[in-house]
Amino acid sequence: MFADLALPLPLPGALTYAVPEAFRALAQPGVRARVQVGKRRSTGVILALHETAPVGFEVRPLLEVIDQAPVLTAELLELARFTADYYLAPIGEVVRAMLPSDLPPWGDQRVWLTDQGAMALPGTPAENAVIEALRESGRVSVAQLQARVPGASVARVLEDLRVAGRVAVGEKRARGMRYSPAVELAPGDREAQLVACGRSEPAKEALRYLAALGRPASVSEVQRETGASPAVLKRLAGKGLLRQFTQPERIELGHHRLSDRVRPSFELRSDQEGALAQIDGALAAGTFASFLLAGMTGAGKTEVYLQAAATALRSGRSTILLVPEIALVPALARDARERFGDDLALLHSGLGTAERQQEWERVRSGGARVVLGPRSALFAPVENLGLIVVDEEQDPAYKQETAPRYHGRDLALVRARAAGAVAVLVSATPSLETRFNVEHGKLTEVRLVTRAGQGALPEGILVDLREGKPGKAGAVNFSERLIAELDAAITAGAQSILLRNRRGYSPMLLCRACGEDLRCPDCGLPRTFHRKERRLICHYCGVGVPEPAVCPTCSTDALEPIGAGTERVEEQFRELFPGVAVEVLDRDTVRRQGSVSAVLERFARGEVRVLIGTQMVSKGHHFPNVALTGVLAADSYLGFPDFRAVERTYSLLTQLAGRAGRGERPGRIVIQTYHPDHYAIRAALEHDDAGFAREEMRFRRLFHYPPYTRMVQLLARHKDRSRAEARLGEIATRLQNHPGAAGIRVLGPAPAPFERLRGEWRFQLLLRAASGAHLRRVLKEIMGEKHGADLTVDVDPYQLL
């Protein structure tokens, strides 16, 4: 027997290993195995088993099978194969992305001999072999025991020995987990067991309770419910009436709650009822269906898909709820937990190792059937999947920017189709790809037409920064109109949100005497000045240096911060409105002052009157007391050398506008810009979604950009500039000479917009074609399966920087 393994290495495909006789009972697709790769050991996942020996090289054996049960289901293995093929990614890196790090052996347990087993008379040959192996090894895992007794079905033998009391089986203790004593009822006649309790009423109550419960229980639970002390339970175990073991304690993820407020009852409007009816109908049909749940911000889209998740749960099916960022998990987790209780699991990288392991195992074992998290939660090992929801589907955060470079929204549709589930994409500003799919019948649009709260969309106020008084170079531009609107909101007791999509104090520190801008030597870009930390930090490689007292080039005391980040906005706001409680929400302040949920909780309680932040403040939050949102510089995205820059600008402005006026207070948005006539800014200001889509689609069609074509970006990196350029030049030449290259548009090779990052020169080649399948096929033929570490292949790229 041979096993094909996906290893976490940049290899073109799976590697084949021989399955020793000792592991044949354990080896199956989806379990992990340890193998030798070159001179080191690695752990991979078995993709398939077969009897065809590879030709031309010696096959190494598996060293160990780690799991007793698959960590990846057959459905997820098939999704991994699709992902690797579509995104031209190594299958091992795809499989690694599907599993949480530090996952202990799945289904594995520790086994040891009891005193009764050590002194018992001989049994069957298989039982004797297992007992002899345990005498020699002591406490071992089931997988290790199977390797020592290869001819027997160890699992079956162990169950017989466990029932007879000759071996004990316990959980393998995972790092970071807390364990507590537990008990379960031993098999046997219930009446005889009660008689064996003697006169002890607490003992009898414990047996009756466990019999009615039908499952194991912690010692503290039995003690609380029956009054039986630990000593009583120990005596019952000594008589063989109970079995004692330890089990992991449940870690309460309470820090994910924004507050303990009781959720008010919610009556659906007629448009919400119609949307829910369509989704529920598709769930009842039990076949694949895909929807776009659209509608203005604050229209109650979340309520619709949470009720759809409840429908799926009632029918015995599982749900995956995806959000673009971890920052959006806490608020949605609060609402979901109020509805689904222990059926809810959270999966994201912000959890500790023990928390992540607990939640993953709860999902895998069926203990939790509603999963919430960012894009990686798409790979949750749920059973009987019924519904996948992709909230804020337009958000670029769903695109993974490291290998494997998959798009969570697109793979959600693939997984839903394979599972016969319903996929619901949710957005107030759908991506152009999603709009295109609606037009071509691949998605059914369900639109909400009324806003909750006071009902009206925020009033838009445009401030043309060209007409204002010129301020100090690089300072924050608080226009007179924005100051007046902030003052009115503060006076009325309302809250405000201000957007400045730059972290730190200023994007650069410039010497006025000699022009030195203190660039990062590895990236060639100015370092961002962080005044609170007194450091200059490159936001691309992360390397920082202390703030210099004088210019390091001319030794002049003429260093001046140019431009404004969130720190500088906060500083100037405090000067304008002394005494008003204000906080900043961005990656720097969250890391320094506490979790995202802590900042949002203070704002939700009204302890903070004004929230300043990057795009984190624009998405998904519901604060009924926010009456004003302000955009300090709406042009920050428009200048990016990326064909999606205009779409991102429109979506960001529209999402921020939607944070205002969600309660009974009317909302307003102030947009400050140097480009007041730009159609994206006009559309956001006037809530003209159809007008924006029409204009942007015209641009995409005219210049042959997605969604009218499919795109692949090839990015070569090297410390030698000429070698990086030559790498793509070779590919471009092969592409021009390929007989199937007709219809493929080639742009480049050309320097990437950020030509040098982390000490490497970067060149890119953009390929476009009407058929994505044709484009990928030609690429595979001209490049072969192995790309090399110096070449990035990004299918359907979202960042061309």
Side-chain angles (χ1 to χ4, degrees):
M1 182 183 290
F2 299 92
D4 293 337
L5 256 73
L7 293 160
L9 301 167
L11 300 172
L15 296 185
T16 301
Y17 288 82
V19 181
E21 181 68 29
F23 296 133
R24 290 199 176 189
L26 294 174
Q28 55 182 309
V31 304
R32 289 170 296 172
R34 194 166 284 116
V35 295
Q36 191 82 19
V37 184
K39 295 183 179 181
R40 64 190 181 96
R41 293 187 174 188
S42 183
T43 299
V45 174
I46 296 178
L47 297 178
L49 296 169
H50 54 85
E51 297 179 354
T52 305
V55 179
F57 59 89
E58 181 182 355
V59 182
R60 289 178 168 180
L62 300 180
L63 300 178
E64 182 184 3
V65 174
I66 296 174
D67 306 299
Q68 279 197 291
V71 290
L72 290 178
T73 62
E75 176 203 357
L76 287 174
L77 288 177
E78 189 55 40
L79 183 63
R81 294 186 186 95
F82 173 89
T83 304
D85 180 67
Y86 183 91
Y87 290 102
L88 306 180
I91 183 69
E93 293 185 346
V94 174
V95 168
R96 178 173 58 183
M98 288 183 161
L99 291 171
S101 59
D102 301 323
L103 186 68
W106 177 251
D108 201 8
Q109 295 175 311
R110 294 285 153 171
V111 186
W112 62 96
L113 278 178
T114 63
D115 292 342
Q116 179 182 347
M119 297 184 297
L121 295 173
T124 67
E127 290 175 345
N128 293 339
V130 168
I131 288 175
E132 187 60 32
L134 288 174
R135 281 198 179 102
E136 294 175 359
S137 307
R139 188 182 294 246
V140 296
S141 72
V142 176
Q144 291 168 333
L145 186 61
Q146 179 70 68
R148 287 172 170 81
V149 191
S153 175
V154 165
R156 189 179 303 113
V157 173
L158 283 177
E159 181 58 24
D160 293 339
L161 292 174
R162 190 177 72 88
V163 171
R166 300 178 68 181
V167 301
V169 181
E171 294 286 337
K172 181 180 179 182
R173 300 203 167 202
R175 186 177 66 189
M177 293 292 288
R178 298 186 297 271
Y179 288 76
S180 59
V183 291
E184 66 177 345
L185 199 59
D189 181 73
R190 294 290 173 265
E191 291 302 321
Q193 288 176 332
L194 290 172
V195 170
C197 290
R199 298 179 182 179
S200 174
E201 283 301 320
K204 293 178 181 179
E205 280 300 312
L207 291 187
R208 293 190 188 105
Y209 175 73
L210 287 169
L213 198 61
R215 61 167 175 81
S218 66
V219 168
S220 60
E221 179 185 351
V222 176
Q223 185 177 1
R224 183 178 65 250
E225 297 297 330
T226 68
S229 67
V232 169
L233 298 178
K234 186 176 181 179
R235 284 198 301 272
L236 290 175
K239 293 181 178 182
L241 303 178
L242 295 181
R243 297 195 188 114
Q244 289 184 308
F245 57 97
T246 59
Q247 65 181 11
E249 289 183 11
R250 173 75 183 276
I251 303 172
E252 291 298 330
L253 306 183
H255 61 279
H256 291 285
R257 295 186 179 91
L258 266 181
S259 72
D260 295 324
R261 293 189 298 262
V262 177
R263 177 182 165 271
S265 58
F266 194 92
E267 294 271 340
L268 292 182
R269 302 186 311 271
S270 59
D271 56 342
Q272 291 175 303
E273 287 179 347
L276 181 61
Q278 288 195 58
I279 298 170
D280 282 354
L283 285 168
T287 57
F288 170 69
S290 54
F291 295 91
L292 167 64
L293 178 58
M296 64 194 78
T297 54
K301 297 182 289 293
T302 303
E303 183 66 26
V304 171
Y305 70 66
L306 286 178
Q307 291 206 22
T311 300
L313 199 61
R314 286 193 297 270
S315 65
R317 306 189 73 182
S318 300
T319 294
I320 297 176
L321 304 175
L322 299 181
V323 293
E325 294 183 6
I326 294 176
L328 298 179
V329 169
L332 186 55
R334 177 197 63 206
D335 290 341
R337 185 173 282 110
E338 287 169 348
R339 298 164 190 265
F340 307 124
D342 285 343
D343 266 315
L344 176 70
L346 306 182
L347 289 178
H348 58 77
S349 60
L351 300 176
T353 299
E355 293 172 324
R356 197 162 55 245
Q357 173 195 325
Q358 167 191 278
E359 297 295 89
W360 195 90
E361 291 194 0
R362 288 178 61 227
V363 174
R364 183 70 182 86
S365 64
R369 294 182 295 158
V370 179
V371 178
L372 168 61
R375 61 176 178 265
S376 60
L378 168 69
F379 304 125
V382 297
E383 295 182 354
N384 196 16
L385 179 64
L387 177 68
I388 299 182
V389 175
V390 185
D391 202 0
E392 305 287 1
E393 65 82 22
Q394 83 291 341
D395 199 295
Y398 281 116
K399 174 69 172 178
Q400 172 107 341
E401 294 301 333
T402 57
R405 290 172 169 78
Y406 67 90
H407 198 295
R409 175 200 62 208
D410 298 342
L411 283 189
L413 292 167
V414 172
R415 185 173 185 186
R417 179 182 292 278
V422 175
V424 180
L425 311 186
V426 184
S427 180
T429 56
S431 64
L432 265 68
E433 287 80 3
T434 294
R435 297 175 195 260
F436 185 83
N437 286 333
V438 169
E439 290 177 7
H440 289 77
K442 294 182 179 180
L443 292 168
T444 300
E445 183 175 9
V446 181
R447 181 167 289 274
L448 304 184
V449 296
T450 306
R451 202 169 196 244
Q454 50 82 34
L457 285 165
E459 177 189 349
I461 300 170
L462 181 68
V463 176
D464 186 348
L465 293 177
R466 299 172 303 179
E467 299 176 355
K469 297 177 182 178
K472 185 179 179 182
V476 185
N477 204 326
F478 275 89
S479 65
E480 292 182 2
R481 182 61 186 271
L482 179 57
I483 293 171
E485 293 293 336
L486 282 167
D487 186 61
I490 293 168
T491 302
Q495 292 174 296
S496 303
I497 296 176
L498 296 178
L499 174 71
R500 178 61 179 136
N501 211 29
R502 282 187 180 275
R503 292 184 286 144
Y505 188 82
S506 65
M508 77 167 63
L509 205 57
L510 180 71
C511 177
R512 287 292 187 185
C514 70
E516 171 64 47
D517 58 7
L518 305 173
R519 290 174 177 253
C520 172
D522 290 329
C523 300
L525 298 167
R527 289 187 172 107
T528 298
F529 177 40
H530 291 252
R531 191 167 187 171
K532 291 181 180 179
E533 299 177 34
R534 291 293 176 186
R535 290 180 68 78
L536 291 163
I537 301 174
C538 176
H539 283 178
Y540 296 94
C541 68
V543 176
V545 295
E547 176 194 3
V550 296
C551 174
T553 300
C554 68
S555 301
T556 305
D557 184 12
L559 293 174
E560 182 176 352
I562 302 298
T566 50
E567 280 185 26
R568 196 166 192 174
V569 174
E570 179 190 14
E571 177 186 85
Q572 189 161 340
F573 178 87
R574 292 184 185 277
E575 293 174 1
L576 291 169
F577 300 97
V580 176
V582 58
E583 279 206 49
V584 171
L585 183 65
D586 61 19
R587 276 185 286 172
D588 296 325
T589 53
V590 166
R591 185 170 56 247
R592 186 169 58 246
Q593 298 175 3
S595 68
V596 172
S597 56
V599 175
L600 295 176
E601 170 66 5
R602 290 191 288 272
F603 192 64
R605 289 198 301 260
E607 296 172 11
V608 175
R609 301 292 299 281
V610 176
L611 189 63
I612 298 168
T614 56
Q615 59 184 355
M616 295 173 71
V617 301
S618 69
K619 305 171 186 175
H621 308 300
H622 177 72
F623 299 114
N625 196 40
V626 172
L628 178 69
T629 57
V631 185
L632 293 163
D635 317 293
S636 40
Y637 263 140
L638 289 175
F640 272 58
D642 189 330
F643 72 92
R644 286 192 173 92
V646 172
E647 182 183 4
R648 289 199 186 109
T649 299
Y650 169 74
S651 179
L652 183 62
L653 299 182
T654 303
Q655 292 289 337
L656 183 71
R659 300 314 108 205
R662 299 173 74 91
E664 296 306 315
R665 296 179 183 273
R668 288 186 168 195
I669 178 170
V670 177
I671 298 179
Q672 299 187 155
T673 177
Y674 286 100
H675 298 86
D677 296 322
H678 195 285
Y679 65 88
I681 292 174
R682 283 288 176 185
L685 197 70
E686 299 165 5
H687 312 295
D688 184 10
D689 186 69
F692 165 76
R694 185 171 55 251
E695 190 65 23
E696 186 65 5
M697 283 289 201
R698 186 185 67 81
F699 161 76
R700 300 282 183 91
R701 188 187 301 110
L702 182 64
F703 290 97
H704 303 282
Y705 281 120
Y708 295 99
T709 59
R710 308 308 292 268
M711 177 181 286
V712 175
Q713 179 198 39
L714 303 181
L715 184 72
R717 308 179 308 278
H718 204 279
K719 293 184 181 298
D720 185 325
R721 189 179 189 277
S722 61
R723 291 184 66 176
E725 185 176 16
R727 178 82 161 94
L728 288 185
E730 293 171 7
I731 295 175
T733 300
R734 271 181 270 162
L735 190 61
Q736 290 170 356
N737 297 330
H738 192 282
I744 297 178
R745 292 172 175 266
V746 181
L747 183 62
F754 292 163
E755 186 177 3
R756 191 160 182 262
L757 285 182
R758 303 175 187 91
E760 294 181 319
W761 295 94
R762 307 162 78 246
F763 278 77
Q764 69 176 4
L765 193 67
L766 293 181
L767 310 178
R768 286 174 285 174
S771 167
H774 172 66
L775 181 53
R776 294 193 304 274
R777 184 171 61 253
V778 171
L779 269 178
K780 286 181 182 178
E781 291 172 0
I782 65 172
M783 292 193 307
E785 291 290 334
K786 192 171 182 179
H787 308 151
D790 62 339
L791 182 67
T792 296
V793 180
D794 193 355
V795 177
D796 302 335
Y798 261 64
Q799 300 280 356
L800 300 179
L801 301 178

